[in-house]
């Protein structure tokens, strides 16, 4: 980079300048530049190196792009930060990899038991029954063998199930006489005894009562998640389900971090519907003390309409290919869903409803349709995941201005199993139908649903462009979008989902100076390489908040 003099006077000098590379603005015209400047956290100039260098003063922080590419900071439109942080800190990694069998997971539980005192709870995350050689969920008998006195909870990768041992069942009072809760299921053996597998709201009977979920402990989990987001170029996250893991303590954890100035990732929160005061009576109220700012705002309310396809609890109009008589389940009655949507809309809340199966999506659209035609107020209600949405449903979404956040990484992580096991080839090739949505003018964001799948947005962009499954097949190539559309799904279009497109998501004068610096230009490389590009720096409000550690020096 040319050595520019620091000649700008204090009253016009930038606080931050990045120059010497490519700047993808992702503005409406798709303009490119070489440099960008910011003052007081907002972008003040975009242009050539020489023009922007005129704003460098004695105290300006200068980031040399060195030929790299700066893009808007990624906006993750559906994540679970507290849940994510808890998985990062958990004593048991139950995922596959590294585990091939239930026995491998049990060995990890046994080690955790050895490391802890009697009676201490042990948590594990990410087990996936469809990737285990045993082809089944673990059972309480598997866990009892190594943990007779320590309660154990293993949470499924989807977040919709958990497996617990006998000590955990006793601790929360679940036994053969316990009825299935509404919207949930307690798996039982031939004698009617719980097997340890709990689905949907039954899983919440345990996970909502676990120790280790105080506001302080949840704040520690949020810090871990925050560090991972920044390392992946993510500057804003939509937390779609505050309270789902730790109840009201999650909101308290955010409040504590906010007071302490520890929120580095910008959070737009969607409070789980069960925590909204007065909602059951049709008079929802906002919690006290939630003044929005650029770091944190309660933007809306999250409702979970159905379960997951891979757990066979996503509510489908046609049965599962592997079990034609099964259609999944609604976790909330359609009439109740409609009433809650209407009450929240009337109270000015944005509504985000989890809908995986097309039958559930029908119920969600019905609820939104009853609100009447779009009234120009920018209500911007959403469907989360929207995985098996049909063409006729996309028509209805467009007619009622319903937005979508697509779980695009399903294509890679579950595409093969959706095709061969759960949905069959015709329905599977249409999961996350981005081209169909785009052709109708539907605004959509893309997401990873972390911790369900790994967080890197570059992987999600690659999924949207290539639609390659884990086994290397291309699933529904007609639904693959170009690189710029995929980038927009993780930036400006994701910002639109929270009504923030005038604040972030593109690099334009007056917007927040939030950037991700990539090793190369994703629009100029072979699409197969997008997934392997590196995030090398993350900038929030004109401050470098994360940078790639330097490579260790090689011994001479």
């Amino acid at each position: 980079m040319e050595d520019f003099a620091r000649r700008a006077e204090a009253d016009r000098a930038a606080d931050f300048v990045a120059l010497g590379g490519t700047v993808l603005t992702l503005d409406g015209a798709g303009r490119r530049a070489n440099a960008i400047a910011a003052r007081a956290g907002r972008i003040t100039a975009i242009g050539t190196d020489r023009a922007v260098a005129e704003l460098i003063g004695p105290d300006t922080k200068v980031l040399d792009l060195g030929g790299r590419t700066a893009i808007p900071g990624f906006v993750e439109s559906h994540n679970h930060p507290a849940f994510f942080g808890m998985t990062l800190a958990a004593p048991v990694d139950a995922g596959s990899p590294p585990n091939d069998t239930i026995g491998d997971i049990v060995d990890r539980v046994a080690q955790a038991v050895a490391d802890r005192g009697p009676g201490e709870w042990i948590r594990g995350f990410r087990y996936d029954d469809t990737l285990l050689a045993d082809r089944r969920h673990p059972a309480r008998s598997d866990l009892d063998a190594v943990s007779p006195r320590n309660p154990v909870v293993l949470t499924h990768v989807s977040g919709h199930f958990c497996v617990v041992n006998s000590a955990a069942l006793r601790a929360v009072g679940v036994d053969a006489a316990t009825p299935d809760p509404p919207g949930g299921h307690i798996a039982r053996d031939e004698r009617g005894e719980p097997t340890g597998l709990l689905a949907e709201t039954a899983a919440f009977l345990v996970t909502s009562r676990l120790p280790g979920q105080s506001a302080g402990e949840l704040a520690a989990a949020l810090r871990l998640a925050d560090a991972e987001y920044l390392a992946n170029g993510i500057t804003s996250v939509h937390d779609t389900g505050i309270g789902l893991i730790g109840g009201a303590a999650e909101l308290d954890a955010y409040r504590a971090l906010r007071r302490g100035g520890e929120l580095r990732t910008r959070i737009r929160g969607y409070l789980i519907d069960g925590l909204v005061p007065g909602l059951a009576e049709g008079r929802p109220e906002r919690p006290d003390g939630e003044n929005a700012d650029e770091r944190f705002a309660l933007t809306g309310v999250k409702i979970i309409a159905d379960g997951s396809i891979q757990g066979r609890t996503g509510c489908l109009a046609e049965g599962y290919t592997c079990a034609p008589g099964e259609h999944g389940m609604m976790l909330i009655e359609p009439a109740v869903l409609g009433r809650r949507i209407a009450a929240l809309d009337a109270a000015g809340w944005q509504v985000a409803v989890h809908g995986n199966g097309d039958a559930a999506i029908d119920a969600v659209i019905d609820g939104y349709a009853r609100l009447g035609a779009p009234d120009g107020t920018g209500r911007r209600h959403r469907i989360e995941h929207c995985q098996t949405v049909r063409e006729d449903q996309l028509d209805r979404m467009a007619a009622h201005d319903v937005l979508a956040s697509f779980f695009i990484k399903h294509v890679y992580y579950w595409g093969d199993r959706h095709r061969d096991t759960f949905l069959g080839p015709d329905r599977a090739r249409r999961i996350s139908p981005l081209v169909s949505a785009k052709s109708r003018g539907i605004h959509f964001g893309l997401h990873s649903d972390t911790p369900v799948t790994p967080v890197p947005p570059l992987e999600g962009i690659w999924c949207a462009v290539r639609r390659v499954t884990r086994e290397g097949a291309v699933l529904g190539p007609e639904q693959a979008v170009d690189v710029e559309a995929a980038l927009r799904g993780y930036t400006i279009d994701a910002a639109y989902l929270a009504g923030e497109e005038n604040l972030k998501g593109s690099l334009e004068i007056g917007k927040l100076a939030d950037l991700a610096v990539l090793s190369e230009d994703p629009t100029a490389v072979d699409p197969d390489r997008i997934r392997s590009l590196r995030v090398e720096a993350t900038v929030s409000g004109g401050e470098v908040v994360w940078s790639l550690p330097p490579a260790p020096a090689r011994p001479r």
Side-chain angles (χ1 to χ4, degrees):
M1 182 180 72
E2 186 177 343
D3 186 17
F4 293 105
R6 293 177 174 266
R7 61 169 66 98
E9 297 292 335
D11 61 349
R12 64 183 296 269
D15 298 331
F16 168 82
V17 161
L19 70 174
T22 299
V23 176
L24 301 183
T25 66
L26 294 180
D27 65 4
R31 287 176 290 188
R32 292 169 175 251
N34 303 112
I36 188 167
R39 185 181 174 100
R42 300 290 184 121
I43 297 169
T44 56
I46 302 171
T48 64
D49 285 341
R50 184 160 295 279
V52 170
E54 294 296 319
L55 300 174
I56 298 175
D59 298 322
T60 302
K61 295 177 182 177
V62 178
L63 174 62
D64 181 3
L65 294 175
R68 299 172 295 179
T69 298
I71 67 170
F74 291 122
V75 179
E76 230 304 345
S77 64
H78 184 113
N79 248 229
H80 302 285
F83 187 14
F84 181 28
M86 290 172 69
T87 67
L88 294 172
V92 176
D93 180 356
S96 298
N99 303 290
D100 296 321
T101 67
I102 290 173
D104 294 337
I105 298 174
V106 169
D107 287 345
R108 291 175 181 269
V109 172
Q111 183 59 55
V113 170
D115 294 339
R116 282 159 178 77
E120 289 189 46
W121 284 75
I122 293 170
R123 293 208 71 173
F125 293 92
R126 298 196 317 114
Y127 89 84
D128 187 341
D129 54 302
T130 67
L131 289 180
L132 294 170
D134 311 77
R135 295 295 176 185
R136 66 173 176 86
H137 294 272
R140 72 169 179 171
S141 56
D142 299 310
L143 303 176
D144 286 349
V146 296
S147 186
R149 292 185 291 175
N150 292 76
V152 178
V153 181
L154 302 179
T155 299
H156 191 264
V157 67
S158 68
H160 288 260
F161 299 83
C162 70
V163 172
V164 301
N165 66 347
S166 296
L169 289 172
R170 288 194 299 271
V172 298
V174 173
D175 57 25
T178 304
D180 286 353
H185 176 65
I186 301 170
R188 304 171 196 272
D189 62 20
E190 63 278 359
R191 297 173 301 161
E193 293 290 336
T195 66
L197 176 64
L198 306 173
E200 304 299 348
T201 57
F204 302 154
L205 291 174
V206 175
T207 57
S208 64
R209 296 170 60 181
L210 287 173
Q213 295 179 166
S214 67
E217 288 158 324
L218 288 165
L222 290 172
R223 291 187 193 97
L224 292 175
D226 176 78
E228 289 297 311
Y229 292 134
L230 296 179
N232 284 281
I234 297 169
T235 53
S236 291
V237 172
H238 299 178
D239 185 335
T240 45
I242 292 178
L244 186 62
I245 298 299
E250 280 187 53
L251 191 54
D252 291 338
Y254 273 124
R255 288 167 173 155
L257 293 177
R258 186 183 187 185
R259 286 195 302 270
E262 296 182 78
L263 277 180
R264 299 183 300 169
T265 307
R266 305 182 194 278
I267 300 293
R268 288 301 170 261
Y270 293 77
L271 194 66
I272 199 70
D273 59 333
L275 291 184
V276 178
L279 178 56
E281 295 75 36
R283 297 183 299 276
E285 303 171 8
R286 289 183 179 271
D288 293 333
E290 297 307 328
N291 296 322
D293 60 23
E294 293 171 358
R295 280 294 149 197
F296 181 85
L298 276 181
T299 299
V301 174
K302 164 76 169 293
I303 303 173
I304 303 176
D306 71 339
S308 72
I309 302 298
Q310 54 268 36
R312 300 203 328 232
T313 54
C315 193
L316 296 172
E318 297 180 14
Y320 283 84
T321 299
C322 56
E326 294 184 16
H327 291 258
M329 60 195 301
M330 290 291 293
L331 305 191
I332 181 172
E333 290 295 326
V336 176
L337 174 62
R339 287 196 295 272
R340 292 191 180 183
I341 287 173
L344 291 165
D345 176 77
W349 286 95
Q350 184 189 20
V351 185
V353 184
H354 164 122
N356 264 317
D358 58 334
I361 292 169
D362 264 333
V364 180
I365 299 173
D366 286 346
Y368 290 149
R370 292 190 189 100
L371 302 177
D375 58 5
T377 62
R379 57 168 66 121
R380 298 194 185 183
H381 298 323
R382 306 167 40 160
I383 300 178
E384 306 303 301
H385 309 322
C386 211
Q387 189 177 169
T388 60
V389 64
R390 305 185 307 262
E391 295 289 311
D392 63 296
Q393 292 174 323
L394 289 169
D395 289 337
R396 295 183 68 204
M397 289 175 65
H400 293 283
D401 203 18
V402 178
L403 315 181
S405 181
F406 285 112
F407 189 174
I408 190 59
K409 294 191 182 186
H410 259 126
V411 174
Y412 177 73
Y413 285 97
W414 281 283
D416 300 299
R417 286 168 283 165
H418 282 359
R419 180 196 61 222
D420 300 337
T421 304
F422 302 121
L423 298 174
D426 292 337
R427 285 184 294 180
R429 72 181 294 126
R430 291 201 69 265
I431 62 171
S432 299
L434 304 188
V435 170
S436 292
K438 189 170 183 287
S439 70
R440 290 165 169 83
I442 294 172
H443 287 275
F444 62 81
L446 304 176
H447 70 257
S448 64
D449 199 18
T450 303
V452 178
T453 66
V455 74
L458 286 166
E459 181 181 64
I461 291 164
W462 170 80
C463 286
V465 172
R466 292 289 291 116
R467 290 187 68 94
V468 173
T469 69
R470 192 181 292 210
E471 294 178 6
V474 177
L475 189 69
E478 67 278 2
Q479 294 295 344
V481 295
D482 61 34
V483 176
E484 183 169 329
L487 279 167
R488 289 179 177 275
Y490 265 105
T491 54
I492 186 64
D493 291 342
Y496 184 93
L497 264 59
E500 295 189 299
E501 71 277 11
N502 294 322
L503 183 67
K504 63 180 68 165
S506 61
L507 301 179
E508 301 179 68
I509 292 174
K511 287 192 173 185
L512 292 170
D514 293 355
L515 294 79
V517 178
L518 309 182
S519 56
E520 297 178 71
D521 180 351
T523 69
V525 301
D526 186 316
D528 283 327
R529 292 187 52 226
I530 293 172
R531 189 186 188 194
S532 61
L533 299 183
R534 296 186 309 275
V535 174
E536 299 196 346
T538 303
V539 177
S540 179
E543 295 282 342
V544 177
V545 290
W546 181 88
S547 59
L548 188 69
R554 293 183 178 179
R556 300 193 174 199

